[in-house]
Amino acid sequence: MSYTLQYGQIWPFLPRLLEGAVVSLQIAVLAFCGGLFIGTACAAIRTFGPRWLARVAGLYVVFFTNTPQLVQIYFLYFALPDMGILLSSFAAVVIGMTLNAGAYLTEIQRAGFESRRASEMEAAEVMGFTRLQQIRYVILPHVARVLFPPLSNQFIIVTLGTSMAAVFGVEELTGEAFNINSQTFRSIEVFTVTAGIYVVLTLAASVALAFMGRALFRARTELI
Amino acid sequence: MWSQIVEEWPRFATYYNFLFIAKAAGTTLALSALGCVFGSLIGLGLAVCRVTTSRWLAPVRVVALLLTEVFRRVPFLVTLMLCFFAFQATGYDIPLFVVAAVSVTLIAGAFLGEIIRGGFKSVHVNQWEAAAAMNFSLIDTIRLVVLPQAWRIVLPPAFGFFVMFIKDTALASQIGVIELTYVGKVLNNKGFSAALSFGVILLVYFLISYPLSRLGAHLEARLASSRHRRA
């Protein structure tokens, strides 16, 4: 093996990688929040909604969890212009990832909704709560505690998924790594540094989420 | 969009296009299968390393912990690129399929290591202590005492991850492995509309993944319920 590692050439590019990491986090937060909204709505529909609507939500989940995210974004990015909808690569990636995260979050949230206790629901009914009030005041606070660990786990998965955006030319962390690689040809160095940034980023996110969960919901999250 | 697909379909539905897709589906399946098999072995190794208690093996535990944590926290695309360039630096001509298989295996090993370790932890500590009291070696303890009880816990999530690998291998198209996603791009470049070429690829993925995820759900229900019955 005649390859000699030369990290010296990479350090000047570190600020660009960090800028990319910020974009990665932006995509992750956007996709996760959008996905959480879709997931909550779909889980509520699947648990409480009319049957035909529950079936539609079920089809959405089954389709998006059984096909690769990358191909879904390819489809959005390349097929929608044929229908007259032009998306920037950033928008296509965020929409694709939101829809994908929404499907997984529906399944996670549904497990949470199903973990509610029958007695609590009966108590709420006796108090004359409407369906919406039952969800808002009884189910959500109760399931937040149960759901926090799997949700923060999913956030990490979404964060890792943002690296896919590089394929569509978005200049997030992996995208910047591709750019710097084509400028310096120090491939192993660039990608080890990138991998290190991802490890630090997701580790920091995990720790922050674990503390947040403990403080807000007394959720028990394992740190490592 | 529909009229376009209907118009293109006769040109698309040729024997060679379907053969191309079928071969690519084979590559996708082979990649995921290799990831499952070798990933399980590595994962079991990592999990066993992490439950050792001897003071002399502390460095092994640290290495196992680092390997699992790092490969679970680096995106698949970055691992793939690292493997790609690392193999390139060796100067040997290594097939792209092998590069992709190695990266899938590394990721699979890390995730399955965590799943298997979770299964180990689910076996009550008394069982471990009883085995130790009977003077079982660590390997015997795991083989004869722990694994027979842990596999019910391990199998459902492990199966979920196997199904996930099928979709993760889509990224292997980025280094030029001719699998399903790559074929989608090729068909698109051949002049078929994106809706048709990627739509067909999405459908093929779905046809592979859906039966397996149903099987996983069935497995989960069966194994979990039998666990409850026993308790």
Side-chain angles (χ1 to χ4, degrees), chain A residues 1-3 62-72 74-75 78-79 82-83 104 153 156 159-161 163-167 174 178 181 187-189 191-192 194-196 198-199 202-204 206 222-224, chain B residues 1 4 50 65 69-70 72-78 81-82 85-86 88-90 111 114 117 121 163-164 166-168 170-171 173-174 181 185 188 193-196 198-199 201-203 205-207 209-210 213:
Chain A
M1 192 166 156
S2 55
Y3 195 91
V62 160
F63 184 76
F64 274 87
T65 53
N66 281 303
T67 49
Q69 192 173 16
L70 182 68
V71 188
Q72 290 161 11
Y74 267 126
F75 190 91
F78 292 112
D82 288 346
M83 297 192 293
Y104 282 100
N153 207 13
I156 302 298
T159 308
L160 293 181
S163 77
M164 242 170 246
V167 174
T174 312
F178 278 127
N181 180 37
S187 316
I188 297 182
E189 292 89 333
F191 283 102
T192 41
T194 308
Y198 272 111
V199 171
T202 53
L203 215 59
S206 293
E222 274 191 64
L223 276 178
I224 284 186
Chain B
M1 187 172 87
Q4 203 178 6
R50 288 186 66 184
L65 173 78
E69 278 305 307
V70 165
R72 282 174 63 212
R73 290 179 182 281
V74 175
F76 185 57
L77 186 58
V78 176
M81 286 301 157
L82 265 177
F85 290 117
Q88 209 177 43
T90 61
F111 276 100
E114 274 302 282
R117 199 173 65 96
K121 273 168 75 182
V163 182
M164 214 184 74
I166 295 175
K167 288 168 276 161
D168 278 353
L171 277 167
S173 59
Q174 293 310 308
T181 310
K185 288 201 290 184
N188 192 203
S193 67
L196 181 62
F198 290 116
I201 297 303
L202 278 176
L203 197 68
Y205 271 113
F206 185 81
L207 291 179
S209 171
Y210 183 66
S213 54

Side-chain angles (χ1 to χ4, degrees), chain A residues 13 28 75 77 80 82 91 97-98 101 149 186 217:
Chain A
F13 292 100
F75 190 91
Y77 191 45
L80 287 183
D82 288 346
M97 288 195 64
T98 304
R186 308 310 310 176
F217 310 111

Side-chain angles (χ1 to χ4, degrees), chain A residues 41-49 53-55 57-59 61-62 106-107 110 114:
Chain A
C42 284
I45 287 171
R46 288 197 72 180
T47 320
F48 311 108
L53 208 57
R55 194 160 289 171
L59 275 179
V61 171
V62 160
T106 302
E107 285 304 272
R110 199 159 68 104
E114 275 164 14

Side-chain angles (χ1 to χ4, degrees), chain A:
Chain A
M1 192 166 156
S2 55
Y3 195 91
T4 35
L5 295 173
Q6 296 176 11
Y7 280 98
Q9 291 184 39
I10 301 304
W11 298 133
F13 292 100
L14 200 61
R16 270 177 62 187
L17 282 177
L18 294 179
E19 274 168 36
V22 173
V23 180
S24 288
L25 272 183
Q26 281 171 350
I27 300 176
V29 169
L30 280 175
F32 186 79
C33 291
L36 200 61
F37 180 75
I38 297 177
T40 313
C42 284
I45 287 171
R46 288 197 72 180
T47 320
F48 311 108
R51 183 169 289 175
W52 68 271
L53 208 57
R55 194 160 289 171
V56 173
L59 275 179
Y60 155 70
V61 171
V62 160
F63 184 76
F64 274 87
T65 53
N66 281 303
T67 49
Q69 192 173 16
L70 182 68
V71 188
Q72 290 161 11
I73 304 175
Y74 267 126
F75 190 91
L76 276 179
Y77 191 45
F78 292 112
L80 287 183
D82 288 346
M83 297 192 293
I85 306 166
L86 275 176
L87 290 176
S88 70
S89 51
F90 184 85
V93 165
V94 169
I95 293 173
M97 288 195 64
T98 304
L99 289 173
N100 197 283
Y104 282 100
L105 288 168
T106 302
E107 285 304 272
I108 295 175
Q109 305 255 65
R110 199 159 68 104
F113 280 7
E114 275 164 14
S115 78
R116 74 201 189 279
R117 296 191 198 107
S119 53
E120 280 183 6
M121 299 308 299
E122 280 158 12
E125 222 152 275
V126 171
M127 306 271 285
F129 281 23
T130 64
R131 257 284 141 85
L132 216 58
Q133 283 173 326
Q134 286 176 17
I135 296 175
R136 166 78 182 76
Y137 295 105
V138 183
I139 302 174
L140 276 184
H142 170 73
V143 297
R145 194 175 117 86
V146 184
L147 278 182
F148 199 82
L151 286 183
S152 35
N153 207 13
Q154 189 66 27
F155 179 75
I156 302 298
I157 294 176
V158 171
T159 308
L160 293 181
T162 57
S163 77
M164 242 170 246
V167 174
F168 302 90
V170 179
E171 291 184 328
E172 41 69 72
L173 184 44
T174 312
E176 286 290 1
F178 278 127
N179 289 344
I180 296 167
N181 180 37
S182 58
Q183 269 174 288
T184 61
F185 294 107
R186 308 310 310 176
S187 316
I188 297 182
E189 292 89 333
V190 173
F191 283 102
T192 41
V193 172
T194 308
I197 297 176
Y198 272 111
V199 171
V200 172
L201 201 68
T202 53
L203 215 59
S206 293
V207 171
L209 283 169
F211 279 116
M212 206 171 107
R214 277 180 206 183
L216 289 178
F217 310 111
R218 286 173 292 134
R220 279 163 43 113
T221 316
E222 274 191 64
L223 276 178
I224 284 186

